[in-house]
Amino acid sequence: MLQNTKSDYQIAQQQILEGIVSGEFEIENRKDLGPLIPIRLFQALRMVALGSNVEDILGQGAPSLVYHSGQSLGLAMGKIAAANIDKDLETYVGKIKMLCRQLSIGLVVPDRVDLNAGVLELRVDECVSCAGIHNVSAPICHFEAGMVGGIVKTFFNRNVKATETKCNALGDKTCLIRVDLM
Amino acid sequence: MHWFESQLLALNKLADKYVVSQKKPAANIVKSSADMRESRGQFIEAVQALVDNVSKVKGIAACTAYHDGLILAHSKQALNIDAFGAAVQESLHAAQQSAEMLNLGDIEQIVIVGTTNKVAMLSVGPLMLCIACPKHINLASALRQDI
Amino acid sequence: MSNIHLLNTRKSQSSEIDSILRNLMSIQGVSAAAIIDNDGFVTHIHRDSEVNTDAIGASVQVVFGAAARSAAHVGHHGTNMVICENTEGYILSTPIDAGFILALVTQRDALLGRVRFELKETIPVLKKLFSSYLAN
């Protein structure tokens, strides 16, 4: 008998990503409540479950875990967007913008693309993670930074380092993610 | 001075040289880093050479070197190096306590003699050099032999 | 200080960091030496074989963070090294500065005391190099 080597989380992840790929946002067992949730619930999951709670256990390792999680989503989104576009950056970015809007992650706007310097900067307006959050001391959207890193990594097939340099929660009105191609 | 004494002396000099390189004021961090690495490399190489040479001496069962009770260098025939390391650490701790009570100064040597075998532990810089042999072997004269 | 001087300083510091990693790789049984930033990104690496740098970087930060937290729960403050002993060898991680970690991967035949000694002696130098490197 073949052994199922996937964990339950991996099985759930696959189903969620397949749902995203299909573009079908209706969901079973949510007849009355529908597919949308209040943003504060997402933020509770992001900043509490995947934020302060993880920090309680992992200390300085928490941002890495959050970044890595965002990167996994970014890699999956990148694969969806990279299909059938013949490596065209503009089309790719267009598809990513649409996907981020559909998923209400934020409004993604390329701010600077300097491929000679190996630097891209992408703005995430109305960022889902930090909207309505204030007075933090450093950028907090490690998940989005990882996600953007994963998206860029998929297109260029190169290692990247994504860093959030501006954050709405810092009072910057937007989140700016700088991606360095390695 | 026979070969073991002179090699041990050279090793202590290299250990001192390394300590000096660590304490040098670092106007140029890159250079002082390279200098420290070089003197540490020389010291470790000399430790390995001494361990290899001691283990060639007729009558010596094994030779090892430890740092904080963890193995750093060993001769080919050394057995149970982890247990040996734990024993070294424990002996050193006990000896240091006694040394304090008896005003002996820093520990230079510890010798444990059993009915069958014995172990000599020598402090060399930050390391402990351990030499094991059968009880009847006179370590001092064995280490005077040419290798 | 001119920009050119700063650039040269940074370059020589970066190359010294590489020399330190190369030196660590020369120790018996060491198969990878890496520096990981606070986001889990591998900034410098020397290795014998291919490794998934994204995964190892994040994992090292997570393991180190978890170990430091568990140490704090028993009243131990200041984690200087985390040693992960595996069937195939060891992974040792040591904090440098500003969330950076130096990680070493070894085979089973590595001499733990030798590797640990080298790490302990290397960290103060790396701390100095990094504080100057990050300031430039």
Side-chain angles (χ1 to χ4, degrees):
Chain A
M1 200 173 84
L2 273 175
Q3 239 191 339
N4 184 2
T5 51
K6 281 189 176 170
S7 71
D8 290 344
Y9 280 136
Q10 285 172 324
I11 292 167
Q13 175 189 312
Q14 190 181 345
Q15 289 165 17
I16 292 164
L17 291 176
E18 280 170 0
I20 293 172
V21 175
S22 71
E24 179 58 65
F25 290 95
E26 285 308 313
I27 198 158
E28 63 183 275
N29 300 335
R30 290 279 291 189
K31 206 172 166 189
D32 286 340
L33 297 172
L36 302 180
I37 56 159
I39 189 168
R40 285 296 190 198
L41 175 59
F42 170 82
Q43 288 182 334
L45 289 171
R46 166 63 190 86
M47 295 296 169
V48 181
L50 199 57
S52 58
N53 282 354
V54 170
E55 197 173 43
D56 279 347
I57 308 289
L58 301 183
Q60 74 166 61
S64 299
L65 179 75
V66 177
Y67 180 96
H68 195 69
S69 308
Q71 187 177 256
S72 299
L73 178 64
L75 292 172
M77 288 170 70
K79 270 186 198 153
I80 299 166
N84 311 317
I85 59 158
D86 203 22
K87 278 276 175 193
D88 180 58
L89 184 57
E90 217 165 297
T91 316
Y92 185 71
V93 173
K95 285 174 88 172
I96 289 294
K97 282 164 79 168
M98 203 172 69
L99 205 49
C100 288
R101 181 183 263 274
Q102 276 176 346
L103 294 171
S104 295
I105 292 170
L107 304 172
V108 174
V109 183
D111 215 42
R112 177 186 166 210
V113 178
D114 185 346
L115 295 182
N116 290 330
V119 178
L120 293 94
E121 282 183 313
L122 288 106
R123 245 173 45 220
V124 182
D125 293 339
E126 300 187 24
C127 170
V128 64
S129 283
C130 68
I133 296 174
H134 312 282
N135 301 325
V136 297
S137 61
I140 54 171
C141 304
H142 300 104
F143 185 85
E144 284 68 22
M147 184 191 77
V148 169
I151 288 168
V152 176
K153 182 178 172 154
T154 306
F155 185 82
F156 291 100
N157 198 21
R158 278 168 70 177
N159 273 338
V160 301
K161 162 79 178 147
T163 317
E164 193 189 18
T165 53
K166 281 184 184 175
C167 183
N168 172 61
L170 276 172
D172 290 326
K173 307 281 183 207
T174 188
C175 295
L176 187 68
I177 293 156
R178 179 193 161 106
V179 185
D180 288 279
L181 298 170
M182 297 294 156
Chain B
M1 196 184 293
H2 58 81
W3 72 270
F4 179 73
E5 262 182 0
S6 59
Q7 220 172 328
L8 202 57
L9 190 70
L11 197 54
N12 274 310
K13 275 187 186 160
L14 286 171
D16 291 344
K17 188 184 154 200
Y18 174 54
V19 171
V20 169
S21 77
Q22 282 178 305
K23 286 180 182 162
K24 258 189 205 163
N28 182 340
I29 304 167
V30 172
K31 192 180 175 310
S32 78
S33 166
D35 288 349
M36 263 187 254
R37 206 171 52 245
E38 195 192 335
S39 27
R40 187 166 66 246
Q42 288 169 348
F43 172 64
I44 295 293
E45 239 172 73
V47 171
Q48 186 63 57
L50 184 62
V51 165
D52 290 342
N53 284 340
V54 170
S55 63
K56 283 180 202 157
V57 174
K58 205 179 156 199
I60 301 292
C63 183
T64 49
Y66 292 92
H67 178 252
D68 287 348
L70 295 170
I71 187 73
L72 188 132
H74 64 85
S75 56
K76 278 184 190 129
Q77 66 272 43
L79 292 171
N80 294 325
I81 47 178
D82 289 337
F84 208 175
V88 168
Q89 199 60 5
E90 218 161 294
S91 312
L92 183 64
H93 184 68
Q96 273 166 342
Q97 281 185 324
S98 311
E100 207 170 303
M101 282 191 295
L102 303 171
N103 199 20
L104 298 182
D106 291 338
I107 299 292
E108 285 183 354
Q109 287 181 24
I110 303 167
V111 183
I112 303 174
V113 185
T115 50
T116 333
N117 293 309
K118 63 183 168 193
V119 181
M121 305 171 213
L122 289 80
S123 166
V124 185
L127 313 180
M128 284 300 273
L129 185 75
C130 303
I131 304 170
C133 64
K135 186 197 172 187
H136 69 270
I137 298 284
N138 181 326
L139 256 183
S141 45
L143 291 168
R144 260 186 223 120
Q145 291 169 38
D146 284 336
I147 46 168
Chain C
M1 201 185 280
S2 77
N3 283 342
I4 292 174
H5 182 81
L6 276 179
L7 221 66
N8 285 340
T9 309
R10 212 179 148 84
K11 210 175 153 188
S12 68
Q13 283 163 350
S14 186
S15 107
E16 178 57 17
I17 291 169
D18 271 327
S19 302
I20 287 173
L21 295 187
R22 210 173 304 121
N23 177 59
L24 290 167
M25 284 291 290
S26 70
I27 302 170
Q28 177 193 324
V30 175
S31 55
I35 291 174
I36 295 138
D37 77 4
N38 55 344
D39 278 335
F41 183 77
V42 175
T43 59
H44 300 75
I45 186 162
H46 283 242
R47 69 242 200 237
D48 279 346
S49 55
E50 207 45 51
V51 286
N52 179 345
T53 51
D54 284 337
I56 188 81
S59 309
V60 163
Q61 276 289 2
V62 164
V63 168
F64 187 86
R69 273 290 152 135
S70 50
H73 287 308
V74 293
H76 296 179
H77 301 287
T79 302
N80 300 322
M81 188 178 290
V82 172
I83 301 176
C84 179
E85 184 174 340
N86 314 305
T87 317
E88 293 80 9
Y90 302 97
I91 301 174
L92 299 96
S93 37
T94 321
I96 306 171
D97 198 17
F100 281 77
I101 287 179
L102 169 62
L104 283 191
V105 181
T106 80
Q107 306 294 324
R108 195 69 214 184
D109 66 342
L111 303 176
L112 191 54
R114 171 81 181 92
V115 179
R116 182 175 167 276
F117 175 71
E118 201 66 30
L119 267 182
K120 285 212 170 267
E121 300 299 302
T122 300
I123 284 298
V125 180
L126 268 178
K127 275 188 179 169
K128 279 185 198 158
L129 276 167
F130 261 74
S131 60
S132 160
Y133 184 74
L134 294 172
N136 288 333

